[in-house]
Every structure is written in C-alpha cells, then in structure tokens.
Amino acid sequence: MLPFGFLEFGLKDFIETLIIAMVIVLLYRWIRGSFAVPVVIGLVIVFAINAAVSLFGLTTINFILRRLLDVGILAVIIIFQPEIRKLLYNIGQNTSLYKFFDRGGSYSVIDEVIEAVKSLSRSKTGALIVFAKGATLNDLVDKGVELDASVSSELLLTIFNRGTPLHDGAVIIRDNKIVAASAYLPISQNPNISSVFGTRHRAALGISEVNDVLVIVVSEETGRVSIAQNGALTSGMTIQKLRYEMQKHLGEKSDEDPEMSSFRQSELESS
C-alpha cells in the first residue's frame, strides 16, 4: 500500500486504474473518426455544467439537467446504434470457429477475384465486392438478387458490365460462393470522408463500419482499386497488396510481404 496524501494506493487500485484506462482507450479508438466524438464532448460539457450547478446549490437548474440526462441515456443509445451494434458484433464473434468450419478453396476465389479486378480496373468499370467472412449479411442478401454461384472472373465481369441489370450494386461473397448481386449497402455517415470519394466508396465504408467484412472498390472514374475494412478506406491498391489483404482477411497464409517484394508491383498495369 503506497500513501498518496490522504489516499492509499495499492495493487488492487493500480489494476482497477489500468483496466479503466484501457477501457477509455478502447472507447476512444471505437468512436474515433465518427460523429460520435462531438456527441461525447457535448455530454461531458453537460455533466460538467450539472456538477457546477450542484456545487452552487442551484436546485431548480440541477433538477432540469438531471431530467435531461435521464432522457439523454436513451438518446445516446439511439445515436450510437451503429457503433453499439459493431461493438457487440465484434465481442460476440469467434473468428476461430469460422476458420475451423471454413470449407476452404479461398485461394482459387482470390485468384478469380484478382483477375476480375484487373479487367475492371483497366476498363474503368465500377465495382463493389464484399467478402462477408463470418458476417452473414442476410438483410443485404434478401434485398439484392440472391445467387448461389461459384466465384469466377467471367461471372464477376458479366455482373458488373454496364449493360446488365445487376451492375448497379454490390456482389456479396460468402463461404467462397457468390450469394447475392445488386445488393445495396448502407452509406457511411462519417463526416471525415474526403469529398473525392463518391457513393460507391461511401457504401463500402458504411458496411465495413458495422460488419467484419472486406470490401473491394473499383472506381468508375479512375479505375483505381481501393479496399474498405473496419471503417477505414485504403485507396490506390496494387494487385500484390490487394492479394495480401484478401489472404489475410480470409485466413489464408501468405509467405510474401507486399512491402518487401517488388516483382509483382506492376501486375495491375502490365497484365
């Protein structure tokens, strides 16, 4: 037990402080970059005002603020609904079980998607490809056109062809099968997204903010390839880096470090 003035600080107190600090850091990482940050700041200000009012004995104002805070708890749950959903999903998901029951064949799926992405990028054909992995995304599958097809580059190119009725939407791949096409994804409400990104990229971010998915985006304007994952967007992907990220997401081992090897860096441009 260590004395700090009139306080006694022991091992138990240290552990509790460490746990609280870790929770605060995790909460910050959870809400960082979203509209939740100014909401939290607003709540802190309200609590500080309430404490000051209580200190000066302003009972009427204190009563009003307490009633507002009581209602505010419900409001916070409603406002943070997407973030809460993502947090509970991540807690409840056991990725090791998904890997155990995975039927395999991810390498061939990756190769087929890579071939399709190269062609789509060269022709500047817009595309959205969602790897659902553990997430079922049944709500999105039901709203799209349900399929049960093997993944092939030819099928993906046909779906995203501008002349087909399925091109305007996302393809969802789950358990190494194309389970839906023309699926419409929720648009991200993150105010920090750059204005250079259009609806397709915002939709990729939106679904990645609330689900454990990897989303591949091909820009219709530039042909640039991007990925969205965990609410973050990475643009200007090389095919080598894209392959690496797909292997990592699908649980396949990759012996090649995309930052150390350079012989395939121009695969997208030269193929």
Side-chain angles (χ1 to χ4, degrees):
M1 203 61 86
L2 298 175
F4 287 92
F6 60 89
L7 297 176
E8 290 186 345
F9 193 82
L11 179 61
K12 179 180 178 181
D13 302 299
F14 173 77
I15 294 174
E16 288 182 335
T17 304
L18 185 62
I19 292 174
I20 293 172
M22 290 175 62
V23 170
I24 292 174
V25 171
L26 290 174
L27 285 175
Y28 172 74
R29 293 177 60 185
W30 173 41
I31 66 175
R32 182 179 55 189
S34 71
F35 74 98
V37 174
V39 174
V40 171
I41 294 175
L43 288 174
V44 171
I45 293 174
V46 172
F47 276 110
I49 294 174
N50 184 57
V53 166
S54 300
L55 181 65
F56 288 105
L58 303 176
T59 56
T60 303
I61 298 178
N62 183 44
F63 173 80
I64 295 173
L65 286 176
R66 285 186 178 277
R67 300 291 79 77
L68 289 175
L69 289 174
D70 291 341
V71 177
I73 295 175
L74 179 60
V76 166
I77 294 175
I78 296 173
I79 293 172
F80 289 162
Q81 186 271 333
E83 285 81 4
I84 294 173
R85 176 185 173 186
K86 180 180 179 181
L87 178 64
L88 294 177
Y89 175 85
N90 290 335
I91 292 174
Q93 185 187 42
N94 188 342
T95 55
S96 62
L97 290 178
Y98 291 115
K99 291 179 181 178
F100 181 80
F101 290 109
D102 187 14
R103 295 188 301 216
S106 295
Y107 273 121
S108 62
V109 170
I110 291 173
D111 289 338
E112 295 293 334
V113 172
I114 289 291
E115 287 302 312
V117 168
K118 289 193 291 186
S119 296
L120 292 166
S121 178
R122 285 196 299 267
S123 62
K124 295 184 180 180
T125 301
L128 266 175
I129 303 173
V130 181
F131 284 89
K133 196 183 174 183
T136 59
L137 304 184
N138 285 335
D139 53 338
L140 299 180
V141 172
D142 292 341
K143 294 177 182 177
V145 177
E146 292 191 45
L147 301 174
D148 184 18
S150 299
V151 179
S152 69
S153 59
E154 293 83 2
L155 179 55
L156 289 171
L157 292 175
T158 300
I159 290 174
F160 289 116
N161 186 289
R162 297 182 183 93
T164 64
L166 299 180
H167 80 282
D168 192 14
V171 161
I172 297 178
I173 297 176
R174 184 177 66 209
D175 296 332
N176 300 325
K177 292 280 189 179
I178 297 178
V179 296
S182 193
Y184 288 90
L185 310 181
I187 304 297
S188 174
Q189 300 302 315
N190 189 338
N192 298 320
I193 302 175
S194 173
S195 59
V196 302
F197 296 119
T199 304
R200 188 174 280 112
H201 292 82
R202 292 174 182 271
L205 273 175
I207 191 63
S208 73
E209 288 171 348
V210 294
N211 287 282
D212 180 22
V213 296
L214 173 70
V215 189
I216 301 174
V217 190
V218 180
S219 171
E220 190 171 355
E221 289 75 23
T222 65
R224 186 181 294 268
V225 180
S226 307
I227 63 167
Q229 193 173 21
N230 298 321
L233 184 69
T234 305
S235 185
M237 302 288 291
T238 64
I239 289 299
Q240 180 190 6
K241 180 63 175 175
L242 177 62
R243 186 187 297 274
Y244 175 81
E245 291 296 335
M246 292 170 65
Q247 289 174 343
K248 185 170 67 172
H249 179 77
L250 295 175
E252 299 289 354
K253 293 183 179 179
S254 176
D255 298 326
E256 188 177 86
D257 186 342
E259 303 299 333
M260 297 298 294
S261 175
S262 61
F263 75 95
R264 287 171 55 198
Q265 288 291 341
S266 59
E267 185 177 351
L268 176 59
E269 293 79 12
S270 61
S271 300

